[in-house]
Amino acid sequence: MRFISTRGQTAPHSFSDAVAVGLAPDGGLFVPETLPAFDAGALARFEALKNDYAGLCFEFLRHFATDIPADTLRAIIQKSYTRFDAPDIAPLRKLDDRLHVLELFHGPTLAFKDFALQLLGNLYEHQCAVRGESINVLGATSGDTGSAAIHGLLGKPGTAIFILYPDGRTSPLQERQMACTGAENVFALAIDGTFDDAQAALKDVFGDQSFRARHHLSAVNSINLARILAQCVYYLSAWLRLPPDARAGAEFVVPTGNFGNVLAGWMLQKMGVPLRGFKVATNQNDILHRLFTTGEYRVTGVRPSLAPSMDIQVSSNFERFLYYSLGRDAARVREVMRTFKAAGRYVFENFNRDTFSASRCDDAEIPGIIRRVYEKYGYIVDPHTACALKDPDPGRPSVVLATASPAKFPDTIREAVGVEPRHPSLEALKARPLDKHKIEATPDAIKAFIAARAA
């Protein structure tokens, strides 16, 4: 299989090359040249693997990673899911007859990003060994992506990782997961500003093709297609484990900031897996809620919130949805993205919402939702997952994606329910010194830092 850019001005890439590059040279995002169509036979093969997460992941990814020998790919995938503390990797917890929670926080950094970034780290390690080249990974984070990316690459030979994050706008424990590793190949870069400032600077750095090639620079954000494909698997796993009478009608409710998490489920649906639909659950930084309710994609200021991983306005992965919604018309994608970048706004006439709906949750509502869920079910959710539990639809089954452990947000949980959740890995971080680098969110400052420390 080959991978092409949403903007249509990059030659097709193999899977490994698309992973290594991350962001397409023309500024677009890689997508499969054609999406596989999973028929009844493929769904039956998936069904047989519903209790074998790594096996299911291999059966799915082998349709995309066609340039990696099957035995090698299987070994990479097996290795990627050895650091999860739940036997079934992604437990599907039933709260009542209509409501399930898909727990995606049992990986090494206690967030859903581990599903893709453990795999991506091992893919990078494989590429370094096969190609005899080093790789320098650059990412931006509003919270969980950075720590998960770092823990996917800790100490791996031939790699260095540079993560930009908004200083003071992640939770203290999220910051400690990035800046207390002690690994020599890890650099936590704290900027003044927002995640959107960090992401904009990152894209400008990747736009310098000479610098990018010289330092073998790769993107670790969900602009990297491997992230999206890996995340498709937990939707597939959850759908297969639902009761048969719930599968056809179940809606997946997804806390969403950069649109990558929910896009993965939607792409799986387009491949033929009959997922009914998706609710985009935003916090008070609600660009996606406004888009899916009004058809207007417009940037406003980012307001720090109790759900910091969703404190985003410009959602990178929306471009992939746009590409498919516009009939794979790359010229039209370029036009829309050019207009949006210039004006900070784009209004879609007759906007195609497909199978999406949306909801919005203010900070003032989050503690009350956490309290309500705890009192009704004896179950504690983190602030991001709380946004997805604001208004569960009583008329049909729902699968809420629990994206992070409540232990990462102890202050909010303690305020809501009087209980402070703890996790041993987080407790161990509290005594370690922070090792972070203050840096301006400018392409020149970032490139200078990378050049001085690149692998």
Side-chain angles (χ1 to χ4, degrees):
M1 177 178 284
R2 301 192 305 173
F3 298 84
I4 57 176
S5 170
T6 52
R7 301 192 186 181
Q9 296 178 322
T10 293
H13 282 46
S14 69
F15 174 80
S16 293
D17 286 340
V19 169
V21 171
L23 184 69
D26 62 6
L29 305 184
F30 284 112
V31 292
E33 194 167 37
T34 58
L35 290 175
F38 295 130
D39 58 15
L43 294 180
R45 289 191 294 274
F46 291 146
E47 181 88 35
L49 294 165
K50 66 181 181 182
N51 295 316
D52 174 7
Y53 193 90
L56 182 65
C57 187
F58 170 76
E59 181 62 29
F60 176 79
L61 286 180
R62 71 179 183 85
H63 295 274
F64 302 92
T66 53
D67 61 330
I68 299 177
D71 288 347
T72 301
L73 180 63
R74 190 187 297 275
I76 289 171
I77 291 170
Q78 288 285 352
K79 181 180 179 182
S80 299
Y81 296 104
T82 58
R83 299 178 62 199
F84 286 68
D85 64 12
D88 47 359
I89 310 299
L92 186 64
R93 181 184 288 264
K94 180 179 178 180
L95 296 189
D96 62 31
D97 288 342
R98 290 287 182 176
L99 182 60
H100 289 78
V101 173
L102 181 62
E103 294 185 347
L104 301 176
F105 51 77
H106 292 281
T109 69
L110 312 181
F112 80 96
K113 309 291 179 73
D114 289 321
F115 281 84
L117 287 165
Q118 285 292 299
L119 176 64
L120 188 56
N122 289 323
L123 286 170
Y124 282 143
E125 182 179 36
H126 167 70
Q127 289 180 2
C128 288
V130 169
R131 300 181 180 192
E133 296 176 346
S134 61
I135 193 166
N136 292 289
V137 176
L138 176 61
T141 188
S142 54
D144 290 325
T145 292
S147 55
I150 283 168
H151 284 261
L153 283 170
L154 279 180
K156 290 192 181 297
T159 70
I161 182 165
F162 304 85
I163 295 294
L164 301 163
Y165 69 98
D167 199 19
R169 295 195 180 201
T170 65
S171 82
L173 288 173
Q174 285 175 319
E175 182 178 48
R176 286 192 167 276
Q177 286 184 314
M178 293 186 283
C180 296
T181 68
E184 293 183 357
N185 69 330
V186 169
F187 302 94
L189 308 182
I191 67 157
D192 289 327
T194 68
F195 168 80
D196 291 310
D197 297 324
Q199 184 164 250
L202 175 149
K203 288 187 174 181
D204 284 343
V205 172
F206 277 101
D208 184 337
Q209 300 302 323
S210 175
F211 181 86
R212 181 176 180 170
R214 185 163 65 252
H215 294 292
H216 300 135
L217 202 63
S218 185
V220 76
N221 281 62
S222 56
I223 56 180
N224 195 309
L225 183 66
R227 288 272 309 271
I228 304 302
L229 295 177
Q231 290 171 200
C232 291
V233 179
Y234 52 66
Y235 283 94
L236 179 58
S237 173
W239 179 79
L240 290 168
R241 288 178 290 143
L242 282 171
D245 60 348
R247 284 186 187 178
E251 178 181 61
F252 286 80
V253 189
V254 190
T256 304
N258 217 15
F259 202 63
N261 196 9
V262 72
L263 179 79
W266 181 82
M267 287 186 67
L268 184 69
Q269 181 195 65
K270 300 309 162 192
M271 298 174 205
V273 180
L275 280 62
R276 183 187 186 280
F278 308 90
K279 180 183 283 187
V280 175
T282 71
N283 65 3
Q284 61 197 23
N285 296 294
D286 60 352
I287 186 171
L288 292 171
H289 174 256
R290 287 182 278 114
L291 170 68
F292 283 103
T293 53
T294 70
E296 182 185 36
Y297 193 52
R298 178 171 57 87
V299 173
T300 59
V302 175
R303 291 188 290 157
S305 79
L306 296 176
S309 295
M310 296 154 66
D311 290 348
I312 295 169
Q313 283 294 310
V314 182
S315 303
S316 286
N317 272 283
F318 175 63
E319 184 168 335
R320 285 188 172 112
F321 174 68
L322 182 65
Y323 173 79
Y324 289 109
S325 296
L326 295 176
R328 299 168 59 95
D329 185 342
R332 185 86 173 93
V333 172
R334 293 197 301 272
E335 176 193 339
V336 172
M337 298 310 296
R338 186 164 51 243
T339 301
F340 176 72
K341 184 174 182 180
R345 177 177 181 268
Y346 194 93
V347 178
F348 295 90
E349 294 184 10
N350 302 315
F351 180 63
N352 177 19
R353 293 168 178 80
D354 201 83
T355 54
F356 285 108
S357 61
S359 63
R360 178 186 188 279
C361 188
D362 283 330
D363 261 15
E365 299 173 280
I366 289 175
I369 296 169
I370 294 171
R371 187 178 309 113
R372 171 174 58 79
V373 172
Y374 182 63
E375 290 173 350
K376 186 173 184 179
Y377 301 111
Y379 187 72
I380 299 177
V381 296
D382 81 286
H384 305 80
T385 307
C387 292
L389 284 159
K390 178 180 177 179
D391 293 310
D393 187 339
R396 64 183 177 203
S398 296
V399 178
V400 170
L401 273 61
T403 53
S405 168
K408 299 183 80 168
F409 306 93
D411 294 343
T412 302
I413 304 303
R414 185 173 55 249
E415 176 191 342
V417 299
V419 174
E420 183 170 329
R422 297 176 182 271
H423 192 279
S425 68
L426 298 178
E427 294 303 306
L429 292 174
K430 293 179 180 179
R432 297 181 187 173
L434 282 173
D435 181 17
K436 68 179 184 180
H437 305 267
K438 288 283 290 182
I439 190 171
E440 293 182 12
T442 64
D444 287 345
I446 296 164
K447 286 190 285 187
F449 190 95
I450 292 172
R453 298 164 178 84

